[in-house]
Amino acid sequence: MWVHGYQGSQAAVRPWPDLMTALRDAPPAAHRDALREQMRSRLESELARDPEEEEVLTPNQLIDVMEHILLGTLPWYGGQVLSFTNTSLTGWSAAAQFLTQPKTPVPHSVDGILDAVERLPRHLHSLDVLFAPAREIVQSGAPPVDAIEAVLDITIDATGCRGEWQRTLFAGFLWMHEACGVPLPEHRRAAIRSWLHQVCPAGYSPEPMTRAEILSAMIQSLQRPVRW
């Protein structure tokens, strides 16, 4: 589930090589304290507005404010998948109390967002461990069956098949292709995206046969020559 519309303008899945560069350029963990204070200060300021004297932001606008701060701070952050609003991956919905309970302490709200954000690079690192050996296998002319299966399992474990989890699976699939040196053209991306949404509807945990079909389709896509 995506809880607001901001990420619609960031819908493209960011290329894997760019993500890896951005992760290397990310600020150190110690920077989290400064980021936390920046987010707390801004959220406190927005929530302190007097509705009789100035416009009060809606919950979705407050989320957008937090998103803009993160986009300006974390070089790898952004898009539909790598956002704290991707609740299927981050589990953030459980921490979104300031949306329904305005009196929830601001530090609790900000800490919940940052806890959700920290799950995103962990997911990327889990995938990256798979992609290096997978590339060697693909370059030998064979599909990396074990790695493809692991991408599916990692995504299922990370999302619990919550909400629109298939979007995270789709991104992992594209990143697998890019890491293996066989990026997919847009028409193939659109076909796979449509197929995944049919086979893996939101909130649906794949049965064994469906899971086998997903793996088969992933493997076949790597076996086909990519035509631009």
Side-chain angles (χ1 to χ4, degrees):
M1 171 182 183
W2 276 260
V3 294
H4 68 131
Y6 176 78
Q7 290 299 320
S9 63
Q10 307 254 343
V13 177
R14 192 168 179 181
W16 186 253
D18 292 352
L19 275 177
M20 292 298 97
T21 299
L23 277 175
R24 288 193 295 269
D25 295 340
H31 187 75
R32 171 170 168 150
D33 289 340
L35 178 59
R36 180 189 293 109
E37 289 307 312
Q38 182 183 3
M39 294 174 69
R40 284 183 182 178
S41 176
R42 182 64 185 275
L43 187 56
E44 287 173 347
S45 175
E46 296 296 345
L47 292 175
R49 291 188 182 191
D50 185 344
E52 296 184 359
E53 298 182 0
E54 55 186 333
E55 179 183 1
V56 175
L57 298 186
T58 67
N60 282 350
Q61 288 173 324
L62 290 174
I63 294 173
D64 286 346
V65 168
M66 299 295 98
E67 286 276 51
H68 278 291
I69 292 175
L70 292 166
L71 285 166
T73 305
L74 303 174
W76 53 266
Y77 187 88
Q80 287 189 331
V81 174
L82 299 178
S83 165
F84 73 86
T85 62
N86 177 2
T87 59
S88 67
L89 181 57
T90 66
W92 177 72
S93 57
Q97 296 184 26
F98 75 86
L99 295 180
T100 56
Q101 302 176 29
K103 296 186 181 301
T104 297
V106 167
H108 179 81
S109 295
V110 171
D111 285 344
I113 292 173
L114 290 178
D115 286 344
V117 168
E118 287 186 348
R119 296 189 183 187
L120 300 172
R122 288 203 295 267
H123 182 66
L124 295 178
H125 286 306
S126 295
L127 293 174
D128 189 40
V129 170
L130 302 172
F131 291 168
R135 181 179 182 118
E136 295 179 6
I137 295 173
V138 168
Q139 290 177 342
S140 72
V145 178
D146 291 344
I148 291 174
E149 185 170 9
V151 169
L152 177 57
D153 289 339
I154 284 173
T155 305
I156 290 173
D157 289 344
T159 66
C161 299
R162 294 182 298 265
E164 298 181 52
W165 72 280
Q166 72 276 41
R167 294 194 184 189
T168 302
L169 176 60
F170 173 69
F173 190 35
L174 294 188
W175 290 329
M176 163 72 83
H177 280 76
E178 292 170 349
C180 290
V182 286
L184 295 176
E186 183 53 40
H187 70 280
R188 289 266 294 279
R189 293 183 179 212
I192 293 171
R193 184 187 300 113
S194 175
W195 182 82
L196 277 176
H197 277 262
Q198 292 176 13
V199 175
C200 310
Y204 173 75
S205 181
E207 299 175 353
M209 182 58 68
T210 302
R211 183 178 180 279
E213 292 172 354
I214 296 172
L215 289 173
S216 176
M218 288 181 168
I219 292 168
Q220 289 176 14
S221 71
L222 278 174
Q223 288 176 320
R224 300 190 195 102
V226 177
R227 302 184 184 279
W228 294 93

